[in-house]
Amino acid sequence: MIRDSSPGYRMDVVAVIQELGYYTELFSTGGYVPGFRPWGRRTAYSVAGMVCRTGNTTPPLSNDVFQPLVAAALYVVEVLALHVVELQQQLRGMTPNRPGRNSGRPSWKVEVVRAVDRRIREGDPFDVALDHVVAERLADGWDPDDPLLRVNLISLAHETGRHAFHYT
């Protein structure tokens, strides 16, 4: 024996050796013979000499820890939750037309047209896409003369209250 080892360490080593048997078809040479499993049907626990425990071995919390924990949880649920719900309702009332909040909002195609029209009307230039994004678009088959090739579509999506556009 080279060094002392715990049963848990031995169990981990045995488990790795046994698991390799499930992947023999991935090895071009040096794999286990088909059907071979080290130590036969014995589990890694039994090979390592470990006793498999059943049930929960963690002792329950003592009352001096458990009671304040339950009291704090009840306070959060019974007292704070009511105020949180009220604050959420107030927030919704303050931003009734915020994009993404109502299910009846226009499609992204309509919102993009509005955002583009606003930019043109105000003379606000579009954000420029990063070079690697332009390269990816060209690799995906975009026309090099496409007027949207260099437009940062993510910032345009953010302007419409979305994270991104899902288009095909």
Side-chain angles (χ1 to χ4, degrees), residues 101-152:
R101 288 287 179 205
N102 55 3
S103 60
R105 76 181 199 185
S107 75
W108 67 268
K109 294 175 184 177
V110 172
E111 290 176 338
V112 168
V113 170
R114 288 179 184 166
V116 169
D117 285 345
R118 185 201 60 78
R119 290 229 178 207
I120 291 171
R121 193 173 52 253
E122 296 176 6
D124 189 10
F126 293 106
D127 295 336
V128 178
L130 298 173
D131 290 338
H132 78 274
V133 172
V134 173
E136 288 173 8
R137 289 177 181 172
L138 290 171
D140 287 342
W142 281 47
D143 183 350
D145 297 324
D146 189 322
L148 295 177
L149 178 66
R150 300 197 180 280
V151 173
N152 184 334

Side-chain angles (χ1 to χ4, degrees), residues 51-158:
V51 177
C52 186
R53 293 191 175 113
T54 59
N56 188 358
T57 58
T58 304
L61 288 175
S62 62
N63 280 340
D64 60 328
V65 175
F66 184 70
Q67 287 177 342
L69 182 67
V70 170
L74 286 173
Y75 180 78
V76 168
V77 171
E78 293 177 347
V79 177
L80 296 181
L82 298 173
H83 297 293
V84 170
V85 169
E86 182 181 326
L87 289 172
Q88 283 179 325
Q89 290 170 346
Q90 288 177 8
L91 183 62
R92 283 191 195 113
M94 294 166 61
T95 57
N97 295 324
R98 182 175 166 209
R101 288 287 179 205
N102 55 3
S103 60
R105 76 181 199 185
S107 75
W108 67 268
K109 294 175 184 177
V110 172
E111 290 176 338
V112 168
V113 170
R114 288 179 184 166
V116 169
D117 285 345
R118 185 201 60 78
R119 290 229 178 207
I120 291 171
R121 193 173 52 253
E122 296 176 6
D124 189 10
F126 293 106
D127 295 336
V128 178
L130 298 173
D131 290 338
H132 78 274
V133 172
V134 173
E136 288 173 8
R137 289 177 181 172
L138 290 171
D140 287 342
W142 281 47
D143 183 350
D145 297 324
D146 189 322
L148 295 177
L149 178 66
R150 300 197 180 280
V151 173
N152 184 334
L153 297 177
I154 298 297
S155 67
L156 188 60
H158 290 177

